[in-house]
Amino acid sequence: MVNHPSIDDPNAYVFYRYHPNLAAAVIFIILFAVSTAIHTVQTIRQRAWFLIPLIVGGLFETIGYVGRALSSNNQWALGPYIIQTILLLVAPALFAASIYMILGRIILLLDAEQYSIIKKKWLTKIFVCGDVLSFLMQSGGGGIMAQKSLSSVRLGQKIILVGLFLQIFFFGFFIVVAVIFHQRVLPSRKQLSIPWQRHMTVLYLASALILVRSVFRVIEYIMGNDGFLLRNEAFLYVFDSMLMFGVVACFNVVHPGEIAKLRRVHGESNLILSQDDTQLSSLPTKGQRT
């Protein structure tokens, strides 16, 4: 029989400082699985392929909580611990990637690139590249931690922290870019019947949820394996699970695929936007500019 250290031993590195709750893990497996399935159907129907990272992120969340459910049966098993650590850590980076692309498509829909402080062709590239770098550092750090030696655990935690700080930096800068664009474009586009402001509101909400979660994760890793946050499982579910489900759920309700659909209609029909109507109406002449 293997002798495991006490979960209360501050000098030992243990996977969990508590016994993982099976019921909580199962609840979030179901929630993320259902939301991701709905997103898949919505994305296919509206041909919004830029949301594939969001779907993959939802799958990561689902599988990550499967790992936590398995850990509830054996909290010393390495495999489930690695699954939940890495997948739950990097899934928000995939959500962020889709959010960056959502703003880019709103800019194109409104034909308002001149109001953005970063040109559309660079907007997605800059933020997605930063997101990929953060993703690689966090997943790489998680892989190093899985080697279980105290030195590798400490090194992995430092790499994860750098990845999280990068995520916060790029995401914070992105929110600034989005707010400046919104303020600049609003006077000339606020009367349009296209529901673009609804999508901006959801973008802000999702961004705020991811930012709060990232700050929580930074504090968690700074406090270390024996820290107060890692000793209490409830904090994970309040400041990570619930917030990330909030992200995927709000995009289920206000699906960004509508932006892709409106762009296709606008490009094919030369449409005029009416202040009084809630729908787009076509111009009688094809060559006239909107």
Side-chain angles (χ1 to χ4, degrees):
M1 185 175 181
V2 179
N3 290 322
H4 297 292
S6 169
I7 62 173
D8 296 318
D9 183 356
N11 298 313
Y13 178 82
V14 296
F15 296 157
Y16 302 98
R17 295 286 178 177
Y18 49 78
H19 183 74
N21 187 291
L22 175 61
V26 170
I27 288 171
F28 280 95
I29 289 170
I30 295 170
L31 290 175
F32 278 109
V34 170
S35 176
T36 303
I38 294 172
H39 269 298
T40 302
V41 173
Q42 291 174 314
T43 298
I44 292 172
R45 283 182 175 176
Q46 304 205 44
R47 292 184 286 167
W49 311 123
F50 62 95
L51 295 175
I52 288 176
L54 183 70
I55 294 172
V56 176
L59 288 173
F60 278 17
E61 293 279 2
T62 304
I63 299 170
Y65 286 103
V66 170
R68 289 192 69 85
L70 295 173
S71 288
S72 70
N73 183 52
N74 180 6
Q75 70 186 77
W76 302 102
L78 178 60
Y81 173 74
I82 294 174
I83 290 171
Q84 70 90 28
T85 297
I86 295 178
L87 296 187
L88 298 185
L89 191 63
V90 302
L94 295 167
F95 298 155
S98 282
I99 289 174
Y100 299 148
M101 289 185 274
I102 289 169
L103 179 61
R105 279 154 179 79
I106 290 175
I107 291 173
L108 289 177
L109 175 64
L110 298 178
D111 190 21
E113 187 175 9
Q114 68 271 26
Y115 297 107
S116 175
I117 62 174
I118 300 177
K119 296 299 181 184
K120 166 61 181 66
K121 69 176 182 178
W122 293 108
L123 181 73
T124 303
K125 291 178 183 177
I126 290 172
F127 290 113
V128 170
C129 284
D131 204 47
V132 168
L133 181 59
S134 169
F135 177 94
L136 292 175
M137 294 192 74
Q138 291 179 64
S139 56
I144 292 172
M145 285 180 64
Q147 296 177 26
K148 293 182 67 174
S149 70
L150 192 57
S151 60
S152 64
V153 167
R154 288 173 177 170
L155 176 60
Q157 287 178 333
K158 290 177 182 177
I159 294 174
I160 288 172
L161 267 174
V162 174
L164 286 168
F165 274 119
L166 272 175
Q167 187 177 63
I168 291 172
F169 171 78
F170 277 100
F171 212 71
F173 182 40
F174 168 78
I175 293 173
V176 171
V177 171
V179 169
I180 292 174
F181 166 75
H182 196 177
Q183 290 178 337
R184 286 179 173 181
V185 77
L186 190 59
S188 63
R189 301 291 196 277
K190 65 180 179 181
Q191 300 299 337
L192 300 185
S193 61
I194 287 179
W196 67 275
Q197 291 200 70
R198 179 175 65 183
H199 290 284
M200 287 296 298
T201 300
V202 174
L203 183 146
Y204 290 142
L205 174 60
S207 298
L209 293 176
I210 293 176
L211 199 57
V212 170
R213 176 265 177 195
S214 296
V215 171
F216 160 72
R217 283 293 197 169
V218 165
I219 297 171
E220 180 185 66
Y221 276 94
I222 288 175
M223 293 180 73
N225 180 255
D226 189 43
F228 179 69
L229 294 181
L230 282 176
R231 284 186 170 275
N232 296 273
E233 187 178 20
F235 287 113
L236 172 78
Y237 284 103
V238 172
F239 291 105
D240 193 319
S241 313
M242 291 178 64
L243 299 188
M244 292 307 92
F245 177 68
V247 171
V248 294
C250 69
F251 284 129
N252 280 135
V253 176
V254 182
H255 196 263
E258 182 181 30
I259 302 169
K261 183 178 179 181
L262 286 169
R263 281 192 62 213
R264 287 194 300 272
V265 171
H266 190 278
E268 291 167 4
S269 304
N270 284 323
L271 302 170
I272 185 170
L273 306 174
S274 169
Q275 177 178 344
D276 300 321
D277 298 335
T278 58
Q279 302 293 328
L280 298 171
S281 55
S282 328
L283 279 172
T285 56
K286 216 170 175 180
Q288 189 174 350
R289 209 177 154 81
T290 58

